[in-house]
Amino acid sequence: MIDKLFQTTFLFFALNLVIAGVIQASAQSNLQFPEAHFNQRKHNISDRAEDILIDHQGNILIAMRRGVQKFNGKRWSNIYIGKDSLKVNPIFTPDIYKLYRYKKQIFLIGEETIGYLHLNTQGKYLYKEIADVKEVKSELYLIRQVVTRDNHILFLGIKGILVWNTISQKKTIQRNNFKTNYVTYHNINHQLYIRVYKQPTQIVDTTSFSWRTTQRYPFIKETFPRHIFQLKDKRLLVVSQKREMLVRSTEGDFKSLDSELNNICKKEQEFYVQQRKNQLFIKAGKHFIIYDFFRKKILYLRTFRAEISSFTLTPQNNLWVATLNDGVYFIETNANYKKREIQQINERSYKFGDIQIKVDNLLYVNITTSDWQKKYKLPAIYKIKLLNKKIFFLTTNGFYRFNEKRQELIKESNKSTQYLLLSSINPNIYYQFTGNSFLILEEQSKGFKTLDSLSLKAFIRGVVEKNGNLWARAGRFGITRIALYPDGKAVKYTKAYLRIKKPEYASFVPFKFRDKVCFHNTAGIYYYDELKDSVLRYTIHYKDNQQKPTISNPFIQHYTFLHPINNDSILVTPGVSEKYNTPGILIYKNNGFNWHNTSFRRMPRYRYEHLRKLNKDTFQLFTNHNIYEIYPSKKVNIDYAFKTYLRSVQVKVKQTDSTSGKEALVDSSIYYGNLANPPSVTLLYPHNTLTFTYASDSWAAYERNLYSYQLIGLDDNWSDWSTEQKKEYTHLREGTYTFKVRCKNIYSTISSVDSYTFTILPPWHRTAWAYALYVLAGLALLIGGSYGYSRYRSRKLYLRNQHLELVVAERTEEIKVQKETIEIANEELTKANQRLREERDEKVKIYMQEATEAANKLQKVRNTLNEKGIEAVKRMIGNEIEGVDEFAIVREKVHQEFPAFAETIDQAFIDKKVTKLVWQVGHCLKLGMSPMETGETLSISNRSVSVHGTKLRKLGILEPIKKA
C-alpha cells in the first residue's frame, strides 16, 4: 500500500514546484496574522463600527448607528440608547460615534447625546444622559477628543468643552469664541493644545478649564499639523498636512519616520497611533501598520476593504479593529506565524539574482531579466534549481539548463528527473535520480556525459549527499546508501538500512543535522553512526503538559516535514494536523530531543503539503489553499493571565402567549454579567431551572477555548473540559449553590474562576414554618394520639375485660346451667329412681292392694258361694267384670278429651296423693258422671263418691263446683 502511495510522483513533485518558487518579497506584502472577521452577514452586527473598546469585564463594545453593540465572547447583542433609559426601539436611539472608558463606566458620545453606561445590581447596562441634543449641537458640536484630568472628564468639542466631575456627578460647559470649525486638540506632555485655523495656538488651563494663547510649540501654528501623538520618550510623532510622519526630538528637530511608511500613508486622511514598548501601532485610512520604532522596520501591514475607524489593543498586543463599512476584525499579532491565501496553486514565481521566472500551470515558463523577456513551453515541471550558478528545470521528460546568454533552454537529458544534486567533491559532477535509477553525470563543454549508473529497487523520494555518500529514500526498502569512489565519478557499493517492517510506518526521509545524516518517518527520528555502521534511533521526551503526536493511520505522517532551525533545534510539521498533531520544535539534548509545541497550538488543522526554509528565522509551510510563514524563534506570550466571565444567568418562568393564551416556559435573565462580584440572589422554588452562559477574554482562537464548571452544592468535582459555553441545571432542590466556571485556552493556560452564588427557597410545604407546623401538628398528634391511644387502649382493655367477664359469665352460666342441668338431671334421675321405686312400690302396693282386693273378692266369692250358692257367685263376678270394662272406657275417653287432667291425676295417683278408688272417682267425675252413676260404675255408695270428689277439689285436681 505504501509503495502505491509513493508512485504518485507527479503530484508530489508538482507540490515541490509550488513550494520552492515563492518569492519572499511578494509573499511578505500579503502575509497576515491569524484573524477573525465579524460582520452583518455572518454575525448580525453592524458593518459600520465607529469606535471600539474593551470594558472592565472583557466585553467588546462598538459604537454604531442606533446605539452600541456588545460581544461577550459567545454572541453579539445590541444596547439601544434612548433618553435617560435603555430603549429597545431603534427609532429612539441616536447615532454613537465615540466611546470612552473611565473605570467601570463607558461614556458614549453621539450626534445628539452624551452620557454613560452604568451597571445595575443585575449587571445590566443602563444609560444616563449628561448632555442633551440642544447642548451637544449648539454648545459643543462635534467632539474631537475625550481626556481625563484628575477627577474630571473633558469632552473636547469644536464649539466648547464639557467638563464632567466624576465625584459630584455635575457638568460644566465652557464655550469658545472660535469662528471656525477647523479646531483640533493635541495632548502633549499632559497639556491640551488647541489648533485653530489661522489663529494663535491655545492652551487649556486644566484648573479653570478655560483657554489662553501660548507661544509654546510654534510649529503647531506654522505647519498646522494634522495630528500630533505623544511618544513615551517625550518625543512627538507629527503627521503633517502632506500626510508625512515626522518625529520631533526634544530639541525641536524634525526627522522623517520612514520613507516606506510615508509612502503608504501619503493619501490617507485619518491617523491614530499607539505605542507599546518599541512598537508603534498605526491606523492610517484603510491601512493598519505595526512599526518597530527602534529597528526602523515595518513588522506588519494590513490593508482593509474599508477605512479603519478605531482599534484597541489587548494586553497580549492582539488587536480589535473597527471599520466603517466592513465590520470588526480581531487580529492575533501575538502569534508565531502568518498566513497568505493562494489564489491559483499552479502559478508561482522564482527569483535568482536578476532573473525572474514565472511558471503557469506547471508548463509555461516566462523568464524575465532587466533586458529581455521570453516564454517557453516545457513538459510538466518537478523543480527549478540553482546549481553551480546555473538554473536547471527538472521535468517529466528530462532536465533543461537555462543559457542566459543565448536566452534559451537546453535539454541535457531525456530521462524524467526528480532530483539533481551537485557533488561536494567535484564541482563538475552531478547526480541524477530518474524514478528508480541513479546516474553520475559530468558536465563538459558540449553537455553532460554519463559516467556511471545504477538501478534501484524502489522509486526515490529524497536524497542527501555527505562525504562522497548518497543517502536515498527507497520506499519500503528503507534507506539506500550509495557509496562513491573518492573522485565521485563511480559507484563503489550500495547498502540498505531501515527496511520497513510495519506498513503503518511511512518510509524514511533523509536530512542533515549536527553534521550527521539523519532520517525520519512516522515512528521517529534516526541517525547514522559511522563507527557502528548502523542506524540508531533518537529518544524523544514529552513533558506532562505537552501533547504527544499519535499514529492513527498509515497516511498521517506526524514527522513528515523536518527542517533544522539551528544546530540545536528542528522544526517539525505533520502531514495531517489532527487533534493533537500541531507543528512543534525538537530541542536537542543528551543525544535525544525534547518536544515543544505549545506556541504552535494556534496553528489551524489543515493538511500540510511541504515545509520550506527561507532563512534562519523563517519557514514556509504550505497547504492546498494557504501559505503559512512560521517564525519558530519568535517569543509568543502563552502564559498570560486571563479571566473567565459569567455572561448571563437565566431562569425559566411561565409566560402567557398573548395570541394563543397558552402558558409556556421562557428564559428570563436574572444576571447580565458585567459585575466583578455579583450579589447573591434568592429565587423562589418554581425558578429552580437555571441556565449559565460564560466566556473568557482569551480571544486567541476563542472558538477552541475549553471550559469546565462545577455547581457547589450539587457537583462533587469539576466537569470535563468542553467547548460548550452554556450549562443548564434543571429542578434543583432548595439550598444555597455556587456556580463556578473556568477556561483553558489553546495554550493550556487555565484562567481565573468566576462564580455566582444563589439560593433557592423551598416550596411552602418544605419551609421552616411549615416544618414548625409539622412539628406542632406532630406533637399534637403525638399527645392526642397518646391520649387517644391510651383511651383506646383502656377502652380496648375495658371491652376486653367486659368481653372476658361476659365470657367468664357465659362460661360460668354455662357451667351453672350444666351444673344445674346435671343437678336437675341427677335430681330428675334421683326423682326418676325415686319415682321408679315409688311406682314400683306403688305398683307393689297396687298389686298388693289389688291382690288384697282380689283376695277379698275371692273371699267374698267363697263366702257367697258358701252362703248363696253358685248362681249368686256368677252374678257377682259378672257385675265386677262389667264395672271394670265401663271404667276402662271412661279412662280412655278422659285421656282423649282431657289429657292434662289425665296426666295430673295419674301423677297424683303415682305420688300417693289419692287412692285408686279416688283416682277412679276423679276420672268418672271429670267425664261429667253424676255421683249415682259413678257409684254404680265403681260399685260404691253415693256418699263415698261425694267424699272422694271433695278431696280431689281440695287438691286442685278437679274444678270446684260452680254455684248457680
PDB file of all heavy atoms in Angstrom, residues 774-786:
ATOM      1  N   TYR A 774     -45.489  21.320  61.086  1.00  0.00           N
ATOM      2  CA  TYR A 774     -45.465  19.862  61.093  1.00  0.00           C
ATOM      3  C   TYR A 774     -45.081  19.337  62.473  1.00  0.00           C
ATOM      4  O   TYR A 774     -45.651  18.353  62.963  1.00  0.00           O
ATOM      5  CB  TYR A 774     -44.475  19.331  60.051  1.00  0.00           C
ATOM      6  CG  TYR A 774     -44.801  19.694  58.627  1.00  0.00           C
ATOM      7  CD1 TYR A 774     -43.812  19.776  57.656  1.00  0.00           C
ATOM      8  CD2 TYR A 774     -46.114  19.955  58.244  1.00  0.00           C
ATOM      9  CE1 TYR A 774     -44.103  20.118  56.343  1.00  0.00           C
ATOM     10  CE2 TYR A 774     -46.421  20.286  56.935  1.00  0.00           C
ATOM     11  CZ  TYR A 774     -45.423  20.373  56.002  1.00  0.00           C
ATOM     12  OH  TYR A 774     -45.722  20.702  54.704  1.00  0.00           O
ATOM     13  N   VAL A 775     -44.128  20.016  63.132  1.00  0.00           N
ATOM     14  CA  VAL A 775     -43.701  19.580  64.469  1.00  0.00           C
ATOM     15  C   VAL A 775     -44.833  19.749  65.464  1.00  0.00           C
ATOM     16  O   VAL A 775     -45.119  18.844  66.267  1.00  0.00           O
ATOM     17  CB  VAL A 775     -42.448  20.366  64.909  1.00  0.00           C
ATOM     18  CG1 VAL A 775     -42.125  20.082  66.371  1.00  0.00           C
ATOM     19  CG2 VAL A 775     -41.267  20.008  64.027  1.00  0.00           C
ATOM     20  N   LEU A 776     -45.467  20.970  65.398  1.00  0.00           N
ATOM     21  CA  LEU A 776     -46.586  21.202  66.319  1.00  0.00           C
ATOM     22  C   LEU A 776     -47.709  20.208  66.057  1.00  0.00           C
ATOM     23  O   LEU A 776     -48.277  19.636  67.003  1.00  0.00           O
ATOM     24  CB  LEU A 776     -47.100  22.640  66.151  1.00  0.00           C
ATOM     25  CG  LEU A 776     -46.136  23.750  66.602  1.00  0.00           C
ATOM     26  CD1 LEU A 776     -46.740  25.107  66.297  1.00  0.00           C
ATOM     27  CD2 LEU A 776     -45.832  23.621  68.094  1.00  0.00           C
ATOM     28  N   ALA A 777     -47.999  20.013  64.772  1.00  0.00           N
ATOM     29  CA  ALA A 777     -49.040  19.049  64.445  1.00  0.00           C
ATOM     30  C   ALA A 777     -48.639  17.656  64.884  1.00  0.00           C
ATOM     31  O   ALA A 777     -49.447  16.871  65.391  1.00  0.00           O
ATOM     32  CB  ALA A 777     -49.318  19.082  62.947  1.00  0.00           C
ATOM     33  N   GLY A 778     -47.339  17.376  64.728  1.00  0.00           N
ATOM     34  CA  GLY A 778     -46.856  16.076  65.156  1.00  0.00           C
ATOM     35  C   GLY A 778     -46.964  15.896  66.651  1.00  0.00           C
ATOM     36  O   GLY A 778     -47.370  14.830  67.140  1.00  0.00           O
ATOM     37  N   LEU A 779     -46.563  16.998  67.382  1.00  0.00           N
ATOM     38  CA  LEU A 779     -46.695  16.925  68.846  1.00  0.00           C
ATOM     39  C   LEU A 779     -48.150  16.765  69.244  1.00  0.00           C
ATOM     40  O   LEU A 779     -48.478  15.973  70.148  1.00  0.00           O
ATOM     41  CB  LEU A 779     -46.099  18.184  69.483  1.00  0.00           C
ATOM     42  CG  LEU A 779     -44.574  18.317  69.380  1.00  0.00           C
ATOM     43  CD1 LEU A 779     -44.127  19.674  69.907  1.00  0.00           C
ATOM     44  CD2 LEU A 779     -43.891  17.190  70.143  1.00  0.00           C
ATOM     45  N   ALA A 780     -49.019  17.590  68.578  1.00  0.00           N
ATOM     46  CA  ALA A 780     -50.449  17.480  68.888  1.00  0.00           C
ATOM     47  C   ALA A 780     -50.960  16.074  68.573  1.00  0.00           C
ATOM     48  O   ALA A 780     -51.685  15.472  69.375  1.00  0.00           O
ATOM     49  CB  ALA A 780     -51.231  18.522  68.106  1.00  0.00           C
ATOM     50  N   LEU A 781     -50.527  15.595  67.426  1.00  0.00           N
ATOM     51  CA  LEU A 781     -50.940  14.243  67.070  1.00  0.00           C
ATOM     52  C   LEU A 781     -50.367  13.220  68.037  1.00  0.00           C
ATOM     53  O   LEU A 781     -51.034  12.244  68.407  1.00  0.00           O
ATOM     54  CB  LEU A 781     -50.491  13.919  65.644  1.00  0.00           C
ATOM     55  CG  LEU A 781     -51.251  14.634  64.516  1.00  0.00           C
ATOM     56  CD1 LEU A 781     -50.598  14.334  63.174  1.00  0.00           C
ATOM     57  CD2 LEU A 781     -52.711  14.190  64.500  1.00  0.00           C
ATOM     58  N   LEU A 782     -49.113  13.492  68.458  1.00  0.00           N
ATOM     59  CA  LEU A 782     -48.484  12.556  69.389  1.00  0.00           C
ATOM     60  C   LEU A 782     -49.213  12.548  70.718  1.00  0.00           C
ATOM     61  O   LEU A 782     -49.545  11.491  71.272  1.00  0.00           O
ATOM     62  CB  LEU A 782     -47.007  12.935  69.581  1.00  0.00           C
ATOM     63  CG  LEU A 782     -46.213  12.047  70.527  1.00  0.00           C
ATOM     64  CD1 LEU A 782     -46.174  10.614  69.995  1.00  0.00           C
ATOM     65  CD2 LEU A 782     -44.806  12.583  70.710  1.00  0.00           C
ATOM     66  N   ILE A 783     -49.451  13.805  71.231  1.00  0.00           N
ATOM     67  CA  ILE A 783     -50.157  13.893  72.520  1.00  0.00           C
ATOM     68  C   ILE A 783     -51.574  13.356  72.376  1.00  0.00           C
ATOM     69  O   ILE A 783     -52.040  12.533  73.172  1.00  0.00           O
ATOM     70  CB  ILE A 783     -50.168  15.353  73.018  1.00  0.00           C
ATOM     71  CG1 ILE A 783     -48.728  15.814  73.300  1.00  0.00           C
ATOM     72  CG2 ILE A 783     -51.048  15.498  74.242  1.00  0.00           C
ATOM     73  CD1 ILE A 783     -48.616  17.276  73.599  1.00  0.00           C
ATOM     74  N   GLY A 784     -52.266  13.892  71.320  1.00  0.00           N
ATOM     75  CA  GLY A 784     -53.629  13.412  71.096  1.00  0.00           C
ATOM     76  C   GLY A 784     -53.653  11.918  70.817  1.00  0.00           C
ATOM     77  O   GLY A 784     -54.514  11.186  71.305  1.00  0.00           O
ATOM     78  N   GLY A 785     -52.668  11.513  70.055  1.00  0.00           N
ATOM     79  CA  GLY A 785     -52.602  10.091  69.749  1.00  0.00           C
ATOM     80  C   GLY A 785     -52.325   9.261  70.980  1.00  0.00           C
ATOM     81  O   GLY A 785     -52.907   8.186  71.173  1.00  0.00           O
ATOM     82  N   SER A 786     -51.382   9.820  71.818  1.00  0.00           N
ATOM     83  CA  SER A 786     -51.076   9.087  73.052  1.00  0.00           C
ATOM     84  C   SER A 786     -52.315   9.009  73.938  1.00  0.00           C
ATOM     85  O   SER A 786     -52.648   7.933  74.485  1.00  0.00           O
ATOM     86  CB  SER A 786     -49.934   9.780  73.793  1.00  0.00           C
ATOM     87  OG  SER A 786     -48.779   9.791  73.014  1.00  0.00           O
TER      88      SER A 786
END
